[in-house]
Amino acid sequence: MAQSLINWFTNALSFLPHEVVVFIISMIPILELRGGLVAAALFQIPMIKAIAICIIGNLIPVPFILWLITPIFRWMKSTKIFRPMVEKLEKKSMEKSDKIQKYEFLGLVLFVGIPLPGTGAWTGSLIAALLEIKPKKAFLAVCTGLILATAIMCFISYGIPFIIKML
């Protein structure tokens, strides 16, 4: 699914410079840094440049989620139209929160850093906000997790193709 989303975005945004497309992909939930690095490798953007673009793109929404999502959700839950959507989103996010709740900082680092479906900076930040983890602590954990995710995804997106080429 992520690969088809990446393809759709790269085609829909083909009029933009590749770096801008990678930046946008890195900001989008589900795709995030993982999708951005895959797209950057496909566009043959140098790895160091891709890392900077993807980390910045993926980090931009994080402070807004950590500091603003709770009051926004509170307001949305006070309306009939948005309440079911917010409650469903909270429930889905909290289903993934057990390790974060138990190990807090390390749990959040691993949740954000290990590239599995449904994990990443967006969901990790949302869960941290819902668990009322202090925003500064959560932001540091998300940043640390992004470093881990970057290392893993760079190996997958740049390292493995390089190794295969060398064989």
Side-chain angles (χ1 to χ4, degrees), residues 138-157:
F139 186 76
L140 182 59
V142 168
C143 289
T144 306
L146 281 178
I147 292 168
L148 176 60
T150 300
I152 293 167
M153 290 308 300
C154 280
F155 178 72
I156 292 168
S157 301

